[in-house]
Amino acid sequence: MMNFTVDADKCTKCGECAADCLWGVIEMDGLPVVRPGNEANCIECQHCLAVCKPGALSIFGKDPADSLPLKGHLPDPAHMETLIMGRRSTRRYRKEGVDPALIRRLLEVASHAPTAVNMRPATLTVVDDPEAMARLRAGMTEAALAAVREGRIPAGWERIGDYIRRCETGEDILFRNAPHLLVVSAPENGLAPMADCHIVLSYFELLANSHGLGTVWNGIARALLTVIAPEFRARLGIPDDHLVACCMSFGLPAVRYHRTVQRPGAVIRSVGYP
């Protein structure tokens, strides 16, 4: 099933693939080999393919030549720092949608985010059609206002109720007029569904910002999908056994920021161990 092959003419027998194999699936016997019965231990991380400098190793039928080279193609640290510190929560959007091909590419790349034991359980549910987003916005806004009027906002969520009331004036406080919504979910009984989903959405956010898109983490949309108006889960096709971990509104921004902000930063402690 692994379709593990080695080009003997290219292989230098360095043993890096075996040394980097987390579960010891690969062994060295002159050339790298996978013993019968070891296949079941593979978590499909493809470290072996990535660590092989001459590109002599193939697994799952993947051709090393189809992978992207890393040397000379990574962003420099200064640009990464600016991207991280310059990212803003965008709450003003243009009406037109993002190119669907770009959205698909962003999702495909973000899905490379690390997950617990490389299980990759997250499902990325995206509303990529602005007209569909307009219908979803209208329906969820109506449901949210009904929940406020009927006193169905849970105790402790009064602030969310206050936000929802602002929709009575026609202000789109739920989605900030963004043309798209991304919902990330994963099976609730997984190893780390909340962490897996938040990591992949963080990757998506930074990549989207590098393309000039605006993003905002949408906790109100998550509250609606999980507690206040859960009927919209089914309408979006989110599986019943999934935990809706996080949501993000995104689109072309109608605001432009010109510099990073200056925050005090987190509490950083350097400790020794006696």
mmCIF file with all atom_site columns, all heavy atoms in Angstrom, residues 162-175:
data_model
loop_
_atom_site.group_PDB
_atom_site.id
_atom_site.type_symbol
_atom_site.label_atom_id
_atom_site.label_alt_id
_atom_site.label_comp_id
_atom_site.label_asym_id
_atom_site.label_entity_id
_atom_site.label_seq_id
_atom_site.pdbx_PDB_ins_code
_atom_site.Cartn_x
_atom_site.Cartn_y
_atom_site.Cartn_z
_atom_site.occupancy
_atom_site.B_iso_or_equiv
_atom_site.pdbx_formal_charge
_atom_site.auth_seq_id
_atom_site.auth_comp_id
_atom_site.auth_asym_id
_atom_site.auth_atom_id
_atom_site.pdbx_PDB_model_num
ATOM 1   N N   . ASP A 1 162 ? -25.427 41.445 22.908 1.00 0.00 ? 162 ASP A N   1
ATOM 2   C CA  . ASP A 1 162 ? -25.336 42.885 22.618 1.00 0.00 ? 162 ASP A CA  1
ATOM 3   C C   . ASP A 1 162 ? -24.875 43.125 21.188 1.00 0.00 ? 162 ASP A C   1
ATOM 4   O O   . ASP A 1 162 ? -25.370 44.034 20.499 1.00 0.00 ? 162 ASP A O   1
ATOM 5   C CB  . ASP A 1 162 ? -24.376 43.558 23.597 1.00 0.00 ? 162 ASP A CB  1
ATOM 6   C CG  . ASP A 1 162 ? -24.923 43.590 25.017 1.00 0.00 ? 162 ASP A CG  1
ATOM 7   O OD1 . ASP A 1 162 ? -26.153 43.467 25.184 1.00 0.00 ? 162 ASP A OD1 1
ATOM 8   O OD2 . ASP A 1 162 ? -24.108 43.747 25.954 1.00 0.00 ? 162 ASP A OD2 1
ATOM 9   N N   . TYR A 1 163 ? -23.905 42.336 20.733 1.00 0.00 ? 163 TYR A N   1
ATOM 10  C CA  . TYR A 1 163 ? -23.445 42.462 19.353 1.00 0.00 ? 163 TYR A CA  1
ATOM 11  C C   . TYR A 1 163 ? -24.579 42.158 18.378 1.00 0.00 ? 163 TYR A C   1
ATOM 12  O O   . TYR A 1 163 ? -24.800 42.879 17.396 1.00 0.00 ? 163 TYR A O   1
ATOM 13  C CB  . TYR A 1 163 ? -22.280 41.505 19.088 1.00 0.00 ? 163 TYR A CB  1
ATOM 14  C CG  . TYR A 1 163 ? -20.928 42.036 19.482 1.00 0.00 ? 163 TYR A CG  1
ATOM 15  C CD1 . TYR A 1 163 ? -20.145 41.378 20.422 1.00 0.00 ? 163 TYR A CD1 1
ATOM 16  C CD2 . TYR A 1 163 ? -20.413 43.189 18.899 1.00 0.00 ? 163 TYR A CD2 1
ATOM 17  C CE1 . TYR A 1 163 ? -18.896 41.852 20.786 1.00 0.00 ? 163 TYR A CE1 1
ATOM 18  C CE2 . TYR A 1 163 ? -19.157 43.686 19.260 1.00 0.00 ? 163 TYR A CE2 1
ATOM 19  C CZ  . TYR A 1 163 ? -18.405 43.006 20.201 1.00 0.00 ? 163 TYR A CZ  1
ATOM 20  O OH  . TYR A 1 163 ? -17.174 43.479 20.559 1.00 0.00 ? 163 TYR A OH  1
ATOM 21  N N   . ILE A 1 164 ? -25.305 41.081 18.643 1.00 0.00 ? 164 ILE A N   1
ATOM 22  C CA  . ILE A 1 164 ? -26.382 40.677 17.739 1.00 0.00 ? 164 ILE A CA  1
ATOM 23  C C   . ILE A 1 164 ? -27.453 41.763 17.644 1.00 0.00 ? 164 ILE A C   1
ATOM 24  O O   . ILE A 1 164 ? -27.993 42.029 16.558 1.00 0.00 ? 164 ILE A O   1
ATOM 25  C CB  . ILE A 1 164 ? -27.000 39.344 18.204 1.00 0.00 ? 164 ILE A CB  1
ATOM 26  C CG1 . ILE A 1 164 ? -25.977 38.206 18.035 1.00 0.00 ? 164 ILE A CG1 1
ATOM 27  C CG2 . ILE A 1 164 ? -28.278 39.035 17.427 1.00 0.00 ? 164 ILE A CG2 1
ATOM 28  C CD1 . ILE A 1 164 ? -26.432 36.883 18.618 1.00 0.00 ? 164 ILE A CD1 1
ATOM 29  N N   . ARG A 1 165 ? -27.764 42.430 18.744 1.00 0.00 ? 165 ARG A N   1
ATOM 30  C CA  . ARG A 1 165 ? -28.794 43.483 18.728 1.00 0.00 ? 165 ARG A CA  1
ATOM 31  C C   . ARG A 1 165 ? -28.443 44.610 17.754 1.00 0.00 ? 165 ARG A C   1
ATOM 32  O O   . ARG A 1 165 ? -29.333 45.280 17.229 1.00 0.00 ? 165 ARG A O   1
ATOM 33  C CB  . ARG A 1 165 ? -28.982 44.047 20.145 1.00 0.00 ? 165 ARG A CB  1
ATOM 34  C CG  . ARG A 1 165 ? -29.695 43.094 21.101 1.00 0.00 ? 165 ARG A CG  1
ATOM 35  C CD  . ARG A 1 165 ? -29.989 43.759 22.434 1.00 0.00 ? 165 ARG A CD  1
ATOM 36  N NE  . ARG A 1 165 ? -30.590 42.813 23.361 1.00 0.00 ? 165 ARG A NE  1
ATOM 37  C CZ  . ARG A 1 165 ? -29.912 42.047 24.199 1.00 0.00 ? 165 ARG A CZ  1
ATOM 38  N NH1 . ARG A 1 165 ? -28.572 42.137 24.232 1.00 0.00 ? 165 ARG A NH1 1
ATOM 39  N NH2 . ARG A 1 165 ? -30.533 41.210 24.991 1.00 0.00 ? 165 ARG A NH2 1
ATOM 40  N N   . ARG A 1 166 ? -27.173 44.810 17.531 1.00 0.00 ? 166 ARG A N   1
ATOM 41  C CA  . ARG A 1 166 ? -26.767 45.873 16.605 1.00 0.00 ? 166 ARG A CA  1
ATOM 42  C C   . ARG A 1 166 ? -27.181 45.560 15.173 1.00 0.00 ? 166 ARG A C   1
ATOM 43  O O   . ARG A 1 166 ? -27.215 46.453 14.315 1.00 0.00 ? 166 ARG A O   1
ATOM 44  C CB  . ARG A 1 166 ? -25.250 46.081 16.699 1.00 0.00 ? 166 ARG A CB  1
ATOM 45  C CG  . ARG A 1 166 ? -24.817 46.717 18.018 1.00 0.00 ? 166 ARG A CG  1
ATOM 46  C CD  . ARG A 1 166 ? -23.312 46.665 18.239 1.00 0.00 ? 166 ARG A CD  1
ATOM 47  N NE  . ARG A 1 166 ? -22.566 47.320 17.173 1.00 0.00 ? 166 ARG A NE  1
ATOM 48  C CZ  . ARG A 1 166 ? -21.230 47.356 17.124 1.00 0.00 ? 166 ARG A CZ  1
ATOM 49  N NH1 . ARG A 1 166 ? -20.522 46.767 18.092 1.00 0.00 ? 166 ARG A NH1 1
ATOM 50  N NH2 . ARG A 1 166 ? -20.618 47.969 16.129 1.00 0.00 ? 166 ARG A NH2 1
ATOM 51  N N   . CYS A 1 167 ? -27.513 44.286 14.894 1.00 0.00 ? 167 CYS A N   1
ATOM 52  C CA  . CYS A 1 167 ? -27.984 43.915 13.556 1.00 0.00 ? 167 CYS A CA  1
ATOM 53  C C   . CYS A 1 167 ? -29.371 44.491 13.269 1.00 0.00 ? 167 CYS A C   1
ATOM 54  O O   . CYS A 1 167 ? -29.796 44.546 12.107 1.00 0.00 ? 167 CYS A O   1
ATOM 55  C CB  . CYS A 1 167 ? -28.022 42.395 13.404 1.00 0.00 ? 167 CYS A CB  1
ATOM 56  S SG  . CYS A 1 167 ? -26.400 41.594 13.468 1.00 0.00 ? 167 CYS A SG  1
ATOM 57  N N   . GLU A 1 168 ? -30.095 44.912 14.321 1.00 0.00 ? 168 GLU A N   1
ATOM 58  C CA  . GLU A 1 168 ? -31.440 45.457 14.128 1.00 0.00 ? 168 GLU A CA  1
ATOM 59  C C   . GLU A 1 168 ? -31.428 46.733 13.308 1.00 0.00 ? 168 GLU A C   1
ATOM 60  O O   . GLU A 1 168 ? -32.427 47.073 12.674 1.00 0.00 ? 168 GLU A O   1
ATOM 61  C CB  . GLU A 1 168 ? -32.093 45.715 15.488 1.00 0.00 ? 168 GLU A CB  1
ATOM 62  C CG  . GLU A 1 168 ? -32.363 44.445 16.283 1.00 0.00 ? 168 GLU A CG  1
ATOM 63  C CD  . GLU A 1 168 ? -32.923 44.719 17.663 1.00 0.00 ? 168 GLU A CD  1
ATOM 64  O OE1 . GLU A 1 168 ? -32.697 45.844 18.180 1.00 0.00 ? 168 GLU A OE1 1
ATOM 65  O OE2 . GLU A 1 168 ? -33.583 43.832 18.215 1.00 0.00 ? 168 GLU A OE2 1
ATOM 66  N N   . THR A 1 169 ? -30.312 47.429 13.284 1.00 0.00 ? 169 THR A N   1
ATOM 67  C CA  . THR A 1 169 ? -30.196 48.664 12.512 1.00 0.00 ? 169 THR A CA  1
ATOM 68  C C   . THR A 1 169 ? -29.720 48.413 11.082 1.00 0.00 ? 169 THR A C   1
ATOM 69  O O   . THR A 1 169 ? -29.539 49.355 10.314 1.00 0.00 ? 169 THR A O   1
ATOM 70  C CB  . THR A 1 169 ? -29.227 49.637 13.195 1.00 0.00 ? 169 THR A CB  1
ATOM 71  O OG1 . THR A 1 169 ? -27.911 49.054 13.221 1.00 0.00 ? 169 THR A OG1 1
ATOM 72  C CG2 . THR A 1 169 ? -29.676 49.929 14.622 1.00 0.00 ? 169 THR A CG2 1
ATOM 73  N N   . GLY A 1 170 ? -29.504 47.128 10.753 1.00 0.00 ? 170 GLY A N   1
ATOM 74  C CA  . GLY A 1 170 ? -29.019 46.801 9.419  1.00 0.00 ? 170 GLY A CA  1
ATOM 75  C C   . GLY A 1 170 ? -27.523 46.617 9.341  1.00 0.00 ? 170 GLY A C   1
ATOM 76  O O   . GLY A 1 170 ? -26.981 46.263 8.282  1.00 0.00 ? 170 GLY A O   1
ATOM 77  N N   . GLU A 1 171 ? -26.816 46.833 10.457 1.00 0.00 ? 171 GLU A N   1
ATOM 78  C CA  . GLU A 1 171 ? -25.369 46.647 10.478 1.00 0.00 ? 171 GLU A CA  1
ATOM 79  C C   . GLU A 1 171 ? -25.054 45.148 10.501 1.00 0.00 ? 171 GLU A C   1
ATOM 80  O O   . GLU A 1 171 ? -25.640 44.393 11.280 1.00 0.00 ? 171 GLU A O   1
ATOM 81  C CB  . GLU A 1 171 ? -24.776 47.325 11.718 1.00 0.00 ? 171 GLU A CB  1
ATOM 82  C CG  . GLU A 1 171 ? -23.254 47.194 11.808 1.00 0.00 ? 171 GLU A CG  1
ATOM 83  C CD  . GLU A 1 171 ? -22.706 47.857 13.063 1.00 0.00 ? 171 GLU A CD  1
ATOM 84  O OE1 . GLU A 1 171 ? -23.523 48.352 13.884 1.00 0.00 ? 171 GLU A OE1 1
ATOM 85  O OE2 . GLU A 1 171 ? -21.474 47.879 13.222 1.00 0.00 ? 171 GLU A OE2 1
ATOM 86  N N   . ASP A 1 172 ? -24.158 44.730 9.649  1.00 0.00 ? 172 ASP A N   1
ATOM 87  C CA  . ASP A 1 172 ? -23.789 43.315 9.615  1.00 0.00 ? 172 ASP A CA  1
ATOM 88  C C   . ASP A 1 172 ? -22.671 43.059 10.614 1.00 0.00 ? 172 ASP A C   1
ATOM 89  O O   . ASP A 1 172 ? -21.505 42.978 10.251 1.00 0.00 ? 172 ASP A O   1
ATOM 90  C CB  . ASP A 1 172 ? -23.358 42.896 8.209  1.00 0.00 ? 172 ASP A CB  1
ATOM 91  C CG  . ASP A 1 172 ? -22.959 41.421 8.151  1.00 0.00 ? 172 ASP A CG  1
ATOM 92  O OD1 . ASP A 1 172 ? -23.359 40.663 9.059  1.00 0.00 ? 172 ASP A OD1 1
ATOM 93  O OD2 . ASP A 1 172 ? -22.237 41.042 7.210  1.00 0.00 ? 172 ASP A OD2 1
ATOM 94  N N   . ILE A 1 173 ? -23.050 42.939 11.863 1.00 0.00 ? 173 ILE A N   1
ATOM 95  C CA  . ILE A 1 173 ? -22.069 42.714 12.908 1.00 0.00 ? 173 ILE A CA  1
ATOM 96  C C   . ILE A 1 173 ? -21.596 41.263 12.915 1.00 0.00 ? 173 ILE A C   1
ATOM 97  O O   . ILE A 1 173 ? -20.532 40.933 13.450 1.00 0.00 ? 173 ILE A O   1
ATOM 98  C CB  . ILE A 1 173 ? -22.647 43.095 14.291 1.00 0.00 ? 173 ILE A CB  1
ATOM 99  C CG1 . ILE A 1 173 ? -21.526 43.244 15.327 1.00 0.00 ? 173 ILE A CG1 1
ATOM 100 C CG2 . ILE A 1 173 ? -23.672 42.072 14.749 1.00 0.00 ? 173 ILE A CG2 1
ATOM 101 C CD1 . ILE A 1 173 ? -20.618 44.407 15.092 1.00 0.00 ? 173 ILE A CD1 1
ATOM 102 N N   . LEU A 1 174 ? -22.401 40.363 12.326 1.00 0.00 ? 174 LEU A N   1
ATOM 103 C CA  . LEU A 1 174 ? -22.057 38.940 12.360 1.00 0.00 ? 174 LEU A CA  1
ATOM 104 C C   . LEU A 1 174 ? -20.909 38.595 11.417 1.00 0.00 ? 174 LEU A C   1
ATOM 105 O O   . LEU A 1 174 ? -20.030 37.807 11.762 1.00 0.00 ? 174 LEU A O   1
ATOM 106 C CB  . LEU A 1 174 ? -23.276 38.090 11.995 1.00 0.00 ? 174 LEU A CB  1
ATOM 107 C CG  . LEU A 1 174 ? -24.539 38.287 12.829 1.00 0.00 ? 174 LEU A CG  1
ATOM 108 C CD1 . LEU A 1 174 ? -25.603 37.277 12.428 1.00 0.00 ? 174 LEU A CD1 1
ATOM 109 C CD2 . LEU A 1 174 ? -24.236 38.181 14.320 1.00 0.00 ? 174 LEU A CD2 1
ATOM 110 N N   . PHE A 1 175 ? -20.925 39.177 10.222 1.00 0.00 ? 175 PHE A N   1
ATOM 111 C CA  . PHE A 1 175 ? -19.930 38.804 9.219  1.00 0.00 ? 175 PHE A CA  1
ATOM 112 C C   . PHE A 1 175 ? -19.156 39.994 8.660  1.00 0.00 ? 175 PHE A C   1
ATOM 113 O O   . PHE A 1 175 ? -18.298 39.815 7.808  1.00 0.00 ? 175 PHE A O   1
ATOM 114 C CB  . PHE A 1 175 ? -20.606 38.051 8.063  1.00 0.00 ? 175 PHE A CB  1
ATOM 115 C CG  . PHE A 1 175 ? -21.339 36.820 8.503  1.00 0.00 ? 175 PHE A CG  1
ATOM 116 C CD1 . PHE A 1 175 ? -22.723 36.837 8.641  1.00 0.00 ? 175 PHE A CD1 1
ATOM 117 C CD2 . PHE A 1 175 ? -20.658 35.661 8.800  1.00 0.00 ? 175 PHE A CD2 1
ATOM 118 C CE1 . PHE A 1 175 ? -23.403 35.700 9.048  1.00 0.00 ? 175 PHE A CE1 1
ATOM 119 C CE2 . PHE A 1 175 ? -21.324 34.520 9.208  1.00 0.00 ? 175 PHE A CE2 1
ATOM 120 C CZ  . PHE A 1 175 ? -22.707 34.539 9.340  1.00 0.00 ? 175 PHE A CZ  1
#
